[in-house]
Amino acid sequence: MNVYDSERMADLLKPLGFIITETPEAADMVILNTCHIREKASEKVYSELGRIREYKEERKLNNQNMVIAVAGCTAQAEGEEILKRANYVDVIVGPQSYHRLPQILAEIERKTSSVKGAGRGILEIDFPVESKFDFLPEATDIVGVTSFLSIQEGCDKFCHFCVVPYTRGAEYSRPVQDIYEEACGLVEKGIREITLLGQNVNAYHGTFSNGQEEGWSLGKLIKYLSNIPELQRIRYVTSHPVDVNQDQINAHRDIEKLMPYLHLPIQSGSDRILKLMNRKHTAVYYLEIIEKLRTARPDIAFSSDFIVGYPGETNTDFEDTLKLIENVNFASAYSFKYSPRPGTPASMLDDQVPEEVKTERLMRLQELLFKQQLAFNESLVGKRIPVLFEKTGRHEGQLVGRSPYLQSVYAEASTRLIGKCVEMVITKASQNSLTGAVVIQEKIAV
Ligand code: 5AD
Ligand code: SF4
């Protein structure tokens, strides 16, 4: 979602004369779009800011200014502190208020021209009543074949380890018509695959257009978008197990353009830990959903998120997670050591798990997940699958595309195939990618 937001910020500033630079040294404005999900991500902000400050100082020597803005969830959560620790930062802007950047820039110009106002950054971290989406211009600089499209934002779930409900705010679903228009605009500019984004994307419950015609679920929205002729592939991320519904399952059964791949985080395989995490479902419930989806779409592949070392996690709890993984067989997964986040209920618990135990558990978990990932990739060797080519590879004559199951696929093929979905036979698999040969050659008319 930060990638999507960064692109929208660039679009917003374009009418003011800004263009993207290759390096921060040359920039009149640097926006650091930040993540707050784990401590490591958040800490990076200060080291990055230190680097950017040097560029700002250098520019000052040449009588040039550089506006430094910090955006994203760390800005939302720690805005005041950032301004205190890094007093050279000019703007703090949260994920729901970045549409105000043009007005903020005008304010900065006024401030710098008056000596009194200089030296104090602007803090814009409200959750405004207006939706930022109503203020974002149409994307113009579209390159490539795939794109993200935000359809839902925020979260009302309040898992006890997570900062998202505090930084992104309450759940909100964009109207169908706005999403459809944005998707058509992307497709017109050459996009062939769209990934619909939302922190709880399958909790999507939109109206057709501003308050009119309620009752649009994610499944119904996907069906509607699948009518766009040149749009070849649809994906969505991230789903919550509790929100999986029949429309979503049926979409995987019925809509060919919807890719057979689902990212469905469970976090832990232990019911005791799931309860402590406030996840509101059990491991068996999760397995039942997986079954239903596999019945609807037999080749569907699953990925998930796992947290090891949640406060109070015992060896038995951890073994339950390993058992669940054995049971499901994931095509890929993300796994993290639990990271205490300020203000979240889990960070205040006494029985934090020691770092060495977290490290050991993460290694065991990842060993199993990597084994499953490799086995899944190897299961495709010798099979025919459609691959959407996205770009040229590092080697001469090489193209890179994606399988329906989100793996990168490498092939020797003509650049004319970029943007096309081509039948390929898979010849080789590694843990992170596939290699294949194009089966159906282009038809030539003389
Ligand atoms: N510590 C570790 N991982 C976390 N995640 C969210 N909050 C934390 C935390 N405090 C992980 C979850 C989530 C993913 C986006 O990040 O697994 O699904
Ligand atoms: Fe965070 Fe996802 Fe839980 Fe919401 S559902 S609180 S975004 S982990």
Side-chain angles (χ1 to χ4, degrees), residues 345-360:
S347 68
M348 292 161 217
L349 297 174
D350 289 333
D351 39 0
Q352 300 288 330
V353 173
E355 190 59 27
E356 349 39 286
V357 178
K358 285 188 200 171
T359 306
E360 204 258 338

Side-chain angles (χ1 to χ4, degrees), residues 37-38 161-162 265 267 305-307 336-339 341:
I37 198 86
R38 283 170 293 276
F161 51 81
C162 185
Q267 317 297 354
D305 288 345
F306 296 93
I307 295 178
F336 316 98
K337 291 185 206 173
Y338 167 71
S339 164
R341 306 307 293 127

Side-chain angles (χ1 to χ4, degrees), residues 155-159 161-165 199-200 240 267 279:
C155 178
D156 297 340
K157 300 271 188 320
F158 290 91
C159 298
F161 51 81
C162 185
V163 289
V164 168
Q199 270 87 38
N200 273 263
H240 192 293
Q267 317 297 354
R279 288 290 292 181

Side-chain angles (χ1 to χ4, degrees), residues 84-136:
K84 253 186 241 147
R85 273 175 70 174
N87 63 2
Y88 47 89
V89 169
D90 302 283
V91 185
I92 298 286
V93 68
Q96 303 309 351
S97 48
Y98 66 74
H99 57 291
R100 294 184 175 168
L101 271 172
Q103 290 96 301
I104 295 171
L105 279 178
E107 207 179 310
I108 287 178
E109 262 170 41
R110 274 198 305 276
K111 276 177 109 184
T112 15
S113 54
S114 91
V115 179
K116 244 171 76 195
R120 166 80 191 151
I122 296 174
L123 187 69
E124 184 75 55
I125 52 168
D126 287 349
F127 291 105
V129 279
E130 80 265 12
S131 158
K132 67 172 178 241
F133 292 107
D134 294 340
F135 295 84
L136 301 178

